[in-house]
């Protein structure tokens, strides 16, 4: 599990003295999504680099090329 402690405060608790209030956030799902995105990006980069076919990704609105592979040039 990945967690993040995002806030720490000392709060008074009656006659028992102060207590520490910590808020933890579970980042496990976020970390898994980031790892999946990195794998997907790596796969796309490898596909573009190794395929002998002409590949390109174009911005729809402007027609600008965002990615092209060696076979395209």
């Amino acid at each position: 599990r990945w967690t993040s402690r995002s806030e720490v405060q000392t709060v008074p608790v009656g006659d028992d003295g102060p207590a520490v209030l910590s808020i933890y956030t579970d980042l496990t799902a976020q970390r898994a999504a980031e790892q999946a995105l990195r794998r997907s990006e790596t796969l796309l980069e490898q596909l573009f680099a190794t395929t002998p076919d002409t590949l390109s990704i174009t911005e729809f609105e402007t027609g600008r090329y965002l990615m092209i592979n060696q076979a395209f040039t």
Side-chain angles (χ1 to χ4, degrees):
R1 286 226 175 267
W2 290 88
T3 59
S4 171
R5 187 172 70 172
S6 58
E7 192 173 324
V8 177
Q9 291 180 346
T10 303
V11 293
V13 183
D15 295 335
D16 294 333
V20 176
L21 172 65
S22 298
I23 299 172
Y24 289 86
T25 304
D26 185 355
L27 301 176
T28 305
Q30 178 183 341
R31 297 290 181 170
E34 290 169 355
Q35 185 178 23
L37 177 60
R38 282 192 297 274
R39 279 194 308 265
S40 177
E41 288 172 338
T42 299
L43 180 63
L44 178 63
E45 288 171 6
Q46 289 175 350
L47 173 68
F48 261 71
T50 60
T51 187
D53 297 323
T54 301
L55 294 176
S56 68
I57 297 179
T58 308
E59 190 174 71
F60 183 76
E61 293 82 17
T62 64
R64 186 175 73 105
Y65 291 108
L66 302 175
M67 273 181 98
I68 60 172
N69 68 344
Q70 285 290 68
F72 192 87
T73 57

